[in-house]
Amino acid sequence: MTDSIRHIYRWDLDKTYLRTDFDTIRDLVRTALQRPEDKVNVPGVVTLLKELTHHTDDGRAYLTFISGSPTQMRAKLEAKFALDGIEPDVFILKPTLQNILKGRFRAIRGQVGYKLDNLLKVRHEGPVAGETLFGDDAEQDAFIYSLYADLAAGLIDRDLLFAILDEAGVYAPTRASILERFQSMRKDANVGRIFIHLDRHTAPGRFLVFGPRVVPITNYFQAALVLFADGVLDVEPVYRVAAGMIRNHGYGIPQLANSFQDLLRRRHLGRDVVDRLATAAATDALPSGLADEFLIRVRALAPRQSRPTTAWEGPPDYLAVLKADQKLREKIDPEPGLF
Amino acid sequence: MGDTRPINIAVDAMGGYHAPDEVVAAVAQASLKREDQTRPVYFTLVGDEVRLTERLVESNHNSERIQIRHAPTVVGLSERPRQAIEDRPDSSILQACDLVRTGEADAVISAGHPGVAVLAALQFFELVEGIPRAALASVYPTPRVRGEKEDPFSLILDVGATLRATPEDLLNFGLMGSAYARIVSNNDRPKVALLSNSRESTVGPDEVVAAYDLMSTHPTLNFYGNIEGHEIPRGLADVVVCEGYAGDIAIKILEGVSEAAFDLARSAYNSKMAWRMGLKLLSGGLKQLKQLTDFEEYGGAPLLGIDQVVILCHPRSGKKAIGNALKLAIKNVRAELPTTIAEALHG
């Protein structure tokens, strides 16, 4: 008997699940040669994923990974998943070699066409349920995921999609594939949160354009807190994520409390979350006294000023976002001379 | 096993002409620096929470290492220190000091009203035993290098913690400056000079003449003798001691001369084609010189003689100066500066 699917989690891999350096050729080579057991997870990610995807009476979660890593990495990455005890339902890697052989060099670095096409593909082929997406700030995940969510919600028409893909420099065959999938796409506003892991510590304000659905996070404790506030996670899993980060990654109470305050300040959480967490402070998940210490610190840091979270104002102007992004990439900021 | 306690630096985010923008930018940048795993460093921005949050979300930063402590008021640069402290206990500078007093932070940095900052530090913290008067110490560039690190900077104190000093104060300033130079420059035996209007030991104000006698006969101080104002930038001594009024003027002249020299060069650049070409050819070297003489490069002045680390920055400080003050604060906390100075004074 097939389990019912209670929720779908769609993840990026590099810099979202794995700590990967792609900034130089040397980094690329080292990543390619790295053994599965040497690959390093982003702190808290495995615990969070396991908490999100474990079987419950409501059924199971459906897990997909769409990665920009080349297909040649599949065996090593699958072995890494096995080591972590993570079982994706779908794992898609990028046909980088094919792109090189076909001379599609823009597609080697570009992610918009590749990821959007595959998101629409897995949506079409997979189960129907609410979706939560996880990406990072290294590429254009916030843009792609938001666009996907708005396409799913039926908020973008074909002409605009065509113009966006054109502006993003998506090759014609991929563009055609996306447009075809879009035509037959199930329209349902089922995408909830979009988490963007700030691997590069990008200013969170740069993601405000995508509205409150997109939550930039510095670590997965922050994601767990937001999912707790949303009612997706209970309190114990939140503390287990924190405990894992303390035990395995050297985190301390100050970092976790600062992360909490950051979300409160950015209005992704309300102050009520502190009280809700306090009800289960006597948790076994954290070493004795640590939860209390954490809550005392969080209360001391709790923002005094209160302003409502930015209201959802509909889809962003995707073309303007792309153009601004392009401008930012081209911007040369030479050090001012003496004369 | 070494000290593993986290270090928390409280930053008065509303102090100075360019606050909070430049202060937030400096802290945001500092939060991205690689952490020392033995003693992780955190920053507490103290000031208007809404304004600080707005600035922070627009900056690349590591939110795990930054917290904001709300302080609703600010002390203006033109206010009277005593009155301001009495009227505004909820101001950013006083709240930042309070974090250190309560043990929540290990050091405080402010580019705000220097008088208020000094007075607040003296109210919130204790003076090191045997030191009746604290002193602000500032470094300045010289053509000579010193210590293991071949440090080109000399130290001058007091540069404005108080106006006047007794002969005993000047001796204590010399001892504290000497201890500080040992820490920051790894200079085992710093030469300490007394600022006067003559090299002669019998010339000058009574306090300076008396201080000369005390310093020249002190058993541990490596006393150089008197130096005159024009000798300060030559770096003849590693530590120059003077009363706060004279020191404040001296350090501002040093800053002003550097700025004026580059203003003159810019003016010359615009005047004649030949000068323009010459300056272009020299621009690499001049840039290095500017880096060496730019006060932003060495940012903060520690307040010596109290039992906590307090770093004051010039109110004109920008991101670079505040960033360097943050580095200095971290270094001084790691070196346990107040304890080290107390030990130096009491053997």
Side-chain angles (χ1 to χ4, degrees), chain B residues 301-329:
Chain B
L303 186 62
L304 304 181
I306 52 171
D307 65 350
Q308 301 291 347
V309 174
V310 177
I311 307 290
L312 303 192
C313 302
H314 200 297
R316 285 189 294 149
S317 293
K319 178 178 154 185
K320 194 195 284 180
I322 304 280
N324 283 320
L326 289 168
K327 281 187 213 164
L328 185 65

Side-chain angles (χ1 to χ4, degrees), chain B:
Chain B
M1 202 173 131
D3 196 348
T4 57
R5 287 170 301 150
I7 294 171
N8 185 13
I9 309 292
V11 184
D12 167 15
M14 311 306 285
Y17 295 127
H18 306 300
D21 294 20
E22 295 289 305
V23 183
V24 172
V27 169
Q29 192 175 54
S31 76
L32 298 175
K33 298 260 161 68
R34 191 180 285 274
E35 270 201 74
D36 178 336
Q37 293 301 323
T38 53
R39 287 196 78 178
V41 178
Y42 302 96
F43 305 95
T44 301
L45 286 165
V46 186
D48 184 305
E49 183 188 278
V50 172
R51 285 182 70 189
L52 297 182
T53 300
E54 283 169 1
R55 297 295 184 281
L56 201 55
V57 294
E58 296 304 328
S59 312
N60 292 7
H61 69 280
N62 181 354
S63 63
E64 292 173 353
R65 298 179 64 191
I66 299 175
Q67 56 174 256
I68 294 177
R69 185 62 67 108
H70 181 63
T73 64
V74 186
V75 175
L77 283 159
S78 58
E79 295 190 52
R80 288 182 182 279
R82 279 187 201 286
Q83 194 63 45
I85 285 178
E86 212 167 281
D87 292 348
R88 276 193 287 290
D90 56 358
S91 61
S92 54
I93 176 62
L94 295 188
Q95 290 293 303
C97 287
D98 195 46
L99 287 176
V100 177
R101 185 183 59 81
T102 56
E104 291 176 73
D106 302 282
V108 60
I109 290 178
S110 177
H113 193 313
V116 172
V118 170
L119 207 57
L122 294 173
Q123 282 193 7
F124 279 82
F125 314 129
E126 299 291 325
L127 285 163
V128 170
E129 199 188 333
I131 295 289
R133 214 180 281 266
L136 261 180
S138 179
V139 293
Y140 63 92
T142 72
R144 298 181 186 213
V145 294
R146 50 193 52 84
E148 263 177 38
K149 292 159 77 183
E150 301 197 330
D151 193 341
F153 298 108
S154 277
L155 190 73
I156 179 166
L157 76 167
D158 172 27
V159 294
T162 51
L163 293 178
R164 302 293 176 204
T166 64
E168 290 75 19
D169 289 335
L170 292 170
L171 170 65
N172 285 330
F173 293 171
L175 291 168
M176 291 195 295
S178 182
Y180 187 67
R182 280 200 293 275
I183 296 169
V184 293
S185 307
N186 287 1
N187 186 352
D188 284 341
R189 205 165 145 69
K191 284 184 287 186
V192 180
L194 185 61
L195 181 64
S196 183
N197 57 340
S198 167
R199 280 229 173 197
E200 299 304 323
S201 62
T202 52
V203 178
D206 292 345
E207 296 81 13
V208 175
V209 173
Y212 187 101
D213 291 339
L214 289 174
M215 294 171 88
S216 60
T217 54
H218 193 278
T220 61
L221 198 69
N222 183 17
F223 187 54
Y224 176 83
N226 282 354
I227 61 166
E228 296 179 42
H230 67 93
E231 290 169 318
I232 298 176
R234 291 174 61 197
L236 297 179
D238 305 315
V239 178
V240 176
V241 170
C242 54
E243 62 175 14
Y245 185 68
D248 193 14
I249 291 171
I251 198 73
K252 282 176 180 157
I253 289 173
L254 290 171
E255 287 168 15
V257 166
S258 162
E259 286 169 5
F262 283 96
D263 285 346
L264 281 171
R266 280 190 198 96
S267 167
Y269 182 85
N270 293 323
S271 304
K272 283 188 181 177
M273 180 59 82
W275 289 357
R276 183 174 300 186
M277 288 167 66
L279 284 165
K280 268 283 178 203
L281 284 171
L282 288 170
S283 64
L286 288 173
K287 201 165 183 177
Q288 279 184 24
L289 187 64
K290 187 169 190 310
Q291 276 179 357
L292 189 69
T293 56
D294 186 356
F295 83 93
E296 292 251 332
E297 291 291 339
Y298 38 92
L303 186 62
L304 304 181
I306 52 171
D307 65 350
Q308 301 291 347
V309 174
V310 177
I311 307 290
L312 303 192
C313 302
H314 200 297
R316 285 189 294 149
S317 293
K319 178 178 154 185
K320 194 195 284 180
I322 304 280
N324 283 320
L326 289 168
K327 281 187 213 164
L328 185 65
I330 295 165
K331 186 174 182 175
N332 287 353
V333 172
R334 284 191 204 286
E336 298 180 353
L337 181 72
T339 312
T340 311
I341 286 191
E343 283 169 2
L345 291 170
H346 306 299

Side-chain angles (χ1 to χ4, degrees), chain A residues 228 231-239:
Chain A
F228 169 70
V232 177
L233 287 178
D234 287 333
V235 69
E236 286 286 327
V238 177
Y239 281 128

